[in-house]
Amino acid sequence: MKRVELHLHTKLSDDVSVITPKEAMEYAIAHSHKAIAFTNLNNVQDFPAIADAYRQCGNADLKVIYGAELRYMREDGKTPYGITVLAKNRSGIKELYRIISSIHLDGVDGVCDLANLEVIKQNRKNLLIGSCGNAGELYEAVANGKDPEKVAAFYDYFELYPTDDEAELKVYKEIYDLG
């Protein structure tokens, strides 16, 4: 099966991961993947390591996508939601840097690990925004019977994570149909 990995964390992520960019690329190349997206939580620290690993892999026939997983909070709620942000091009990488910098400089109401939704909206021209599976606002909207179409309009693509949980599968089916 051909695959594109659009949500991969490395050792430099703020959460748990055990793989390096080079190991991830070698695996992707060995399994004929066409692309791989690196999306560490709240940081872009591994971007230089990703570029080095790509060069070490001989600039393989593998598209490397730079991105991040972010947490943000809607103005009307106390629940943080996840999004996946992928750069379309070099300008998108710069926009992603602006968003990440705003997290660490300003945060949201003094919380330095949350992105400001307005900053994301202002810097998304060259970015793709993903729904972040069961950690996202779209998942919650579908699971709780809220208006998913209104929430879905914010995203460029919907992420569905592998699961055997029947309740999650039901929600993912609705998200899939919505797409």
Side-chain angles (χ1 to χ4, degrees), residues 27-41:
Y27 180 89
I29 292 165
H31 291 86
S32 302
H33 296 187
K34 297 296 178 197
I36 187 169
F38 292 92
T39 58
N40 284 347
L41 182 60

Side-chain angles (χ1 to χ4, degrees), residues 46-122:
D46 65 349
F47 282 12
I50 292 167
D52 287 343
Y54 186 68
R55 282 189 291 278
Q56 290 173 21
C57 289
N59 295 327
D61 187 24
L62 177 71
K63 178 159 179 64
V64 172
I65 303 166
Y66 293 86
E69 180 181 337
L70 307 174
R71 298 281 185 258
Y72 72 94
M73 192 177 312
R74 284 267 177 206
E75 302 83 16
D76 58 352
K78 295 182 179 180
T79 305
Y81 297 108
I83 58 170
T84 304
V85 180
L86 303 177
K88 294 180 191 179
N89 49 40
R90 287 183 188 263
S91 295
I93 292 172
K94 290 177 184 178
E95 291 169 356
L96 184 54
Y97 283 150
R98 281 188 214 108
I99 294 168
I100 295 292
S101 294
S102 75
I103 292 170
H104 297 289
L105 293 173
D106 304 321
V108 175
D109 295 330
V111 179
C112 290
D113 61 349
L114 293 176
N116 185 309
L117 190 56
E118 289 307 312
V119 174
I120 294 168
K121 288 177 181 178
Q122 292 167 5

Side-chain angles (χ1 to χ4, degrees), residues 131 136-143 148-149 151-152 155 158 171 175 178:
S131 65
E137 183 179 15
L138 180 59
Y139 182 94
E140 184 181 287
V142 171
E149 288 187 21
V151 175
Y155 299 100
F158 305 151
V171 173
I175 292 172
L178 184 64

Side-chain angles (χ1 to χ4, degrees), residues 122-171:
Q122 292 167 5
N123 289 284
R124 73 175 290 174
K125 180 180 177 187
N126 295 288
L127 299 172
L128 295 173
I129 307 293
S131 65
C132 207
N134 61 4
E137 183 179 15
L138 180 59
Y139 182 94
E140 184 181 287
V142 171
N144 294 324
K146 296 179 182 173
D147 183 9
E149 288 187 21
K150 180 181 177 187
V151 175
F154 177 70
Y155 299 100
D156 298 303
Y157 68 98
F158 305 151
E159 288 182 85
L160 308 176
Y161 296 163
T163 184
D164 291 326
D165 182 272
E166 290 298 320
E168 283 187 345
L169 287 171
K170 184 179 179 214
V171 173

